[in-house]
Each structure stands twice: as structure tokens, then as C-alpha cells.
Amino acid sequence: MNNYDNNKNNDKPAGLFADKAYEETLDSPNQDTQPLLTEPSTPEPRMTKKTIASGEPLKLAVVGHTNTGKTSILRTLLRDVYFGEVKNEAATTRHVEQAQLTDSQTGEVLVALYDTPGLEDASGLMDWLEDNTASRRDGIERLQQFLASDIAQGSDSYELPYDYSQEAKVIRQLLASDMAIYVVDAREPVLGKYKDELAILSWAAIPVMPVFNFTDSQDANIDEWQTMLARRNLHISTRFDSVAFDFEDEMRLWKNLSTMLTHSEMLEQLMQRRTENWAQLSDEANIIIADFLINVAAFVREINDSDDPMPVLAQMQEAVRQSERAMQHNLLNLYKFYDNAVAATPLELQAYQQDPFDPELLKSYGIRTTSGAAAGALLGLGVDAAALGTTLGLGAAIGGIAGGLLSNTSSIADRISGVKRLYIDPATLTLLATRSIDLLTALRHRGHAATDATQLIYKGAKNNSESDENENDNVTPWPTHKLPSELKKARGKPQWSSLSSGKSEQAQLLRADKAWSLSAKLQSYNYN
């Protein structure tokens, strides 16, 4: 849904005052510049302003002080961990970068986003504007006069005490945009420099909406900020944490922006499409989880009664580990997270690195093994009390049927013929389901700017390094002894499992209907 081109800085997007903002030419530091208040000697064709009422994309500038998380917010809105550069230091973004939000069905560009450099010295710029521009002129004229001055050029050929070239880039983009969001680090106190930034931004004569970032922090000063903003007639603001993501916060951001526009058709179309896409992601994610669980539930290996089961059981464990890892990566890719150095993923937490067959992991989820589970290193691999060649006799096998241990009487023939059937036990299936749902919850509440694996903020998330006193915090989707009917059915269908047959595509087709059915049940578990 997101497309951007970092090489479009030379394009001159038409904004409300773009013809004035781009009258000057700054292609080369040594090139002579023409003041904006004087017509160029060789007039260049001007672009005709087209408003969003005529169907053009909304041009939205993202502005704010240095290191407030402008690029981080864009990464999360774009679902793109690669956009821009995010560092815990000031002035990371040095140039205006463009990105686009498109209609996923039609390809139409709905919103053009512009990531601008941080405002580094708005107070100094305000002093210059007060000293060098006439207060009787309107804000746009005063900003134009600044853009035509030497201090806005950032050229090495000038020996000036001040360099406001970064601020000039922001102001040029403001004058070329339809509206702007002003990113506020909610942890920061209200300081004079921020008041000066808002005063300068107001001179661009476009709607500006403050957006609070890092709102999940205990140090947030939102009430203090809102009081200051109200005194400057900025009564519409919103919260959008680029790390602790909430889809409803994003929808509220677009909704609040739309209330500031005369024509908001583009934003309304964007909200509708992104809501549909978010629901579709949920459907696809639950299908991935359901398919994985049925694949594992149907996983069965048969050996002779006299064979040592230990090597086969160990092989089955490894196959399940690899299958879970593949499922986890499918979820990561679906939500556009990648297991690399650009952004940390939830898989870096100990809870997702721990072996699913570790008894301590089962304990941390409050799951107890069934009586049919093998012990010790082979925990999680069940031994069918009748059909798996235990020391039980035929009478005990019949008793097992009566007690619900077997799904059909055909397994008695296996016992008579001396066949052992090895499978994944219900406790481990329940653990795999719980951990998969937890991961999905994490991905739906994780911003694409999160650079630390511990920035995993969602209800119920925890690292296994925590004390055992919280071991029962996790809620399993079903009791261990009450597997969903789809998983029970799979226990008798080894042909459904690619782990059993080795025929991946064929097995997936066979279990497809049950995967859809199970995914609908998974949807009922709260991860929002």
C-alpha cells in the first residue's frame, strides 16, 4: 500500500502557496538566487494550484522539533521499517523525503507525506524575523522574505553568523502543502522554543494539527501541552505512539485531520480502505495460525512396536520447531516486520526463543501436560495409550476408548499388529496456539519504529525472565483437554500434515477447509 521515492526532492509539488515558495532556484550552492519579492529576469512557468477538491492527493507535511519522532511516525503509518533513518540523536533527517499512501484496490495516490528536517533553532529564527521583517506584513510575506535571504540558503559561499537552511527546507515544504501535523514528544515539557515553532508554523496559513508521540510513557505531559495549544487556538490534536501502536489511534488521526478540511473525500477514502485492509490482515493472520496448528495436530509417525521411539520423537520435535518458526516469519512478513537489524522484532524476546518443548515454558503458561505425554526431554510428544505400543494390553486399550483417549476403534488393529503411533500431545498444541495468538497481538500493537525488542507493548505480553509469580497471567484459548473439533479431527488425518507426508501443497489443500473453520474461532480471542 505504501510507495515512496526518496529521489523526488527535485519535484515541486503544488501546494496552496507553491508558486511563491518555489519561485527561487537553489539547485547549486554557487548559483545566484533571485529574491522572491522581485520577478526573475527570465520567468519560469509556474504550476497551477489544484486543490484536493479536484481529486489531487492531500499533501501533508510532517514537521516538528528535532528528535520528536517524525520519521518514526511515518514508518508506522507507512508500515515500512525502511523508510527514512531513525536514530536516538538530533537532526537525523536532513532533507525532505516523500512517501505516498495509495488505495490498495485502485492504486490511486490518496495522501502524499513529506518528512521534513527537524526545527533546530526556531527561537533564533523568530528573533531574525522580528528584526528583519515588517510586522504589518502577513505571515506568508514574512516567510517569503526569510526564504529569499542569505541565511536561508545554507551556502558555504556565505560567511554568516547563523544558518537557518534546515528551517528553510521545512518552511518551503509547508508553503507547498495542504496541511501539516506537528509532532510533539509528549515526554518533553512545554518550552519557549516550541511556542516559537508553532508561531512560525501558523504563518504558513495552512491547518496544523499537533500529534503527540511517545504517549505511552509515564513521563507524558499531555495536559500541559494541550493547555498551551489551546491558548494558540489549536484545539484539535491527537495521540499516535509510533512504538505502542493502536489502530484506533491512527483512524482518529485521519478523522481529526478530515475535520480541518473543507473537502475531505481523500481522507475518508483512505480511512475506509485502511480499515478494510486491517481487517483483511487479521483474517490472513488467523488463517496462517490455524493452518500451522492443524498441520502439527495431524503430524503422526508410526514405528514398529519393538523400535526405540526416542530418535523418531526427537525428529518430530525438530520438525515442529521449524514449522513454528516458519509460521512466525509468515506473520512477521504479513505485518511488514522483518527479522533484521533495521527494526527489532518480538521474536527477539526470550518468550519466543524458548523451546516449545521446554517444561518451564508450559509452566509459565499455566499448562499441565496430559497423562499421555512422554516425560522429560520428550515432553510434548504423546503416546497413544492403545495404538502406540505401550505395555497396556488389549483390555486396557478398550478401556481407553471408553475414557475418550482414542477417536476410533481402528487403532486397536494397530495395537494387535504391533504398531506405535507418535503424535504431538494436546498440551503442546495448546501452548503453540497460545504463543501464536500472543505473537499476533504483539504485531498488531507494535509500531514500525520500535528499535528495541523490549518495546513490546500489548496486554498480556511478558518476557520469561519475569518471576514465576506471574506464570498464570497468560490465558489459553481453550482448556488442554478440550481441543477444537478441527484439531481433534486432524489427529486422525495424517495425510493433512506436510510434516507426515512431505507433500506440502497437497496436504495444505486437504486441510484448507478446516483451517478456515478454525481461523474463525481464533478470531474470537481478543488481541485488539
Side-chain angles (χ1 to χ4, degrees):
M1 183 173 180
N2 310 318
N3 301 300
Y4 63 88
D5 185 352
N6 295 338
N7 297 320
K8 291 187 177 180
N9 292 333
N10 291 328
D11 292 344
K12 298 180 179 181
L16 187 60
F17 303 104
D19 55 342
K20 299 178 178 62
Y22 285 97
E23 260 182 70
E24 57 179 328
T25 304
L26 299 174
D27 294 335
S28 170
N30 297 320
Q31 183 177 352
D32 293 333
T33 59
Q34 186 72 27
L36 290 179
L37 302 180
T38 305
E39 288 293 327
S41 55
T42 305
E44 296 181 0
R46 293 186 180 184
M47 295 177 292
T48 302
K49 164 64 184 172
K50 294 181 181 179
T51 68
I52 56 174
S54 65
E56 272 206 351
L58 171 72
K59 287 163 283 297
L60 180 63
V62 181
V63 302
H65 198 73
T66 57
N67 209 31
T68 56
K70 297 181 295 297
T71 303
S72 296
I73 282 180
L74 282 169
R75 280 188 173 185
T76 298
L77 288 176
L78 294 165
R79 317 282 193 261
D80 188 349
V81 298
Y82 296 107
F83 177 78
E85 184 177 4
V86 174
K87 290 183 179 179
N88 189 25
E89 59 185 50
T92 302
T93 302
R94 306 302 297 178
H95 304 283
V96 175
E97 295 189 44
Q98 180 185 356
Q100 296 176 345
L101 293 176
T102 63
D103 187 312
S104 58
Q105 293 187 8
T106 66
E108 179 184 8
V109 179
L110 302 177
V111 178
L113 298 161
Y114 297 92
D115 187 16
T116 64
L119 295 167
E120 299 178 357
D121 187 10
S123 295
L125 176 56
M126 178 61 79
D127 290 340
W128 187 94
L129 289 167
E130 293 289 348
D131 294 339
N132 294 277
T133 63
S135 60
R136 290 187 300 276
R137 290 189 172 186
D138 64 33
I140 293 177
E141 292 173 328
R142 298 177 78 174
L143 293 179
Q144 289 173 334
Q145 188 172 344
F146 158 68
L147 292 176
S149 69
D150 291 342
I151 64 169
Q153 314 312 323
S155 173
D156 294 336
S157 63
Y158 300 109
E159 294 184 1
L160 299 170
Y162 307 108
D163 179 2
Y164 294 112
S165 58
Q166 292 301 102
E167 283 78 6
K169 294 174 184 177
V170 177
I171 292 171
R172 288 192 190 95
Q173 187 57 57
L174 275 175
L175 297 178
S177 300
D178 299 304
M179 64 191 316
I181 61 174
Y182 175 72
V183 181
V184 177
D185 184 340
R187 302 167 298 184
E188 284 287 299
V190 176
L191 302 175
K193 60 184 179 181
Y194 302 129
K195 298 176 183 179
D196 289 336
E197 288 173 359
L198 288 167
I200 293 172
L201 297 179
S202 69
W203 290 359
I206 63 173
V208 176
M209 185 180 75
V211 174
F212 295 105
N213 194 11
F214 307 115
T215 57
D216 199 66
S217 171
Q218 295 180 350
D219 300 325
N221 299 305
I222 295 179
D223 290 343
E224 181 184 355
W225 271 97
Q226 287 180 327
T227 299
M228 183 272 286
L229 293 171
R231 293 180 178 181
R232 284 156 179 76
N233 290 320
L234 293 171
H235 299 284
I236 300 178
S237 62
T238 194
R239 305 184 184 198
F240 187 83
D241 197 306
S242 59
V243 173
F245 174 69
D246 189 319
F247 183 73
E248 292 303 319
D249 286 346
E250 180 186 340
M251 289 298 101
R252 195 172 297 110
L253 183 151
W254 299 122
K255 182 65 176 178
N256 287 350
L257 284 174
S258 69
T259 63
M260 305 172 72
L261 294 172
T262 304
H263 301 281
S264 59
E265 293 83 0
M266 285 296 186
L267 287 182
E268 291 170 359
Q269 182 179 345
L270 177 69
M271 286 187 285
Q272 177 181 351
R273 192 68 70 225
R274 286 177 83 83
T275 299
E276 294 170 355
N277 292 344
W278 191 245
Q280 182 179 352
L281 282 177
S282 175
D283 292 341
E284 293 178 10
N286 281 289
I287 283 289
I288 289 173
I289 294 174
D291 183 76
F292 158 70
L293 293 174
I294 293 176
N295 194 29
V296 172
F299 186 20
V300 175
R301 292 284 299 273
E302 293 183 352
I303 61 174
N304 293 326
D305 186 42
S306 59
D307 291 343
D308 180 6
M310 305 299 267
V312 177
L313 291 173
Q315 292 172 9
M316 293 180 71
Q317 284 186 338
E318 184 57 29
V320 171
R321 291 187 191 101
Q322 293 182 11
S323 181
E324 184 190 32
R325 185 71 178 183
M327 178 275 298
Q328 291 171 337
H329 278 289
N330 286 338
L331 289 180
L332 288 171
N333 290 334
L334 179 66
Y335 282 88
K336 298 187 178 180
F337 290 95
Y338 307 98
D339 200 4
N340 56 30
V342 176
T345 72
L347 293 184
E348 295 182 34
L349 280 177
Q350 182 183 346
Y352 296 102
Q353 295 176 341
Q354 195 164 356
D355 189 345
F357 299 102
D358 186 339
E360 292 301 317
L361 185 59
L362 279 172
K363 182 181 177 182
S364 73
Y365 279 85
I367 299 175
R368 297 184 180 277
T369 61
T370 60
S371 59
L378 296 176
L379 182 68
L381 290 151
V383 179
D384 190 321
L388 296 178
T390 67
T391 57
L392 297 176
L394 185 58
I398 296 174
I401 296 173
L405 295 177
L406 300 176
S407 60
N408 57 69
T409 56
S410 64
S411 57
I412 297 178
D414 295 333
R415 172 64 186 91
I416 296 173
S417 61
V419 174
K420 291 181 179 179
R421 181 176 296 163
L422 311 179
Y423 63 97
I424 306 302
D425 92 303
T428 300
L429 286 173
T430 303
L431 168 65
L432 293 172
T434 307
R435 194 153 76 157
S436 300
I437 293 171
D438 279 354
L439 177 59
L440 176 55
T441 302
L443 295 177
R444 291 175 67 85
H445 288 275
R446 184 176 180 81
H448 285 69
T451 56
D452 185 347
T454 61
Q455 292 173 325
L456 183 61
I457 304 172
Y458 69 100
K459 185 178 180 180
K462 70 187 184 75
N463 197 332
N464 277 17
S465 61
E466 296 180 9
S467 62
D468 290 340
E469 64 186 24
N470 296 325
E471 66 181 36
N472 293 322
D473 286 349
N474 301 82
V475 179
T476 60
W478 50 73
T480 304
H481 62 284
K482 292 184 178 179
L483 292 179
S485 58
E486 294 83 2
L487 296 183
K488 290 181 180 178
K489 182 75 172 178
R491 305 300 289 272
K493 300 289 184 179
Q495 66 272 25
W496 288 5
S497 177
S498 60
L499 304 178
S500 301
S501 65
K503 300 177 181 179
S504 179
E505 293 184 7
Q506 179 180 349
Q508 188 173 28
L509 288 174
L510 291 173
R511 64 178 182 266
D513 288 342
K514 292 300 180 182
W516 276 101
S517 176
L518 179 58
S519 71
K521 295 179 180 179
L522 294 176
Q523 287 273 21
S524 65
Y525 298 107
N526 185 17
Y527 46 70
N528 294 319

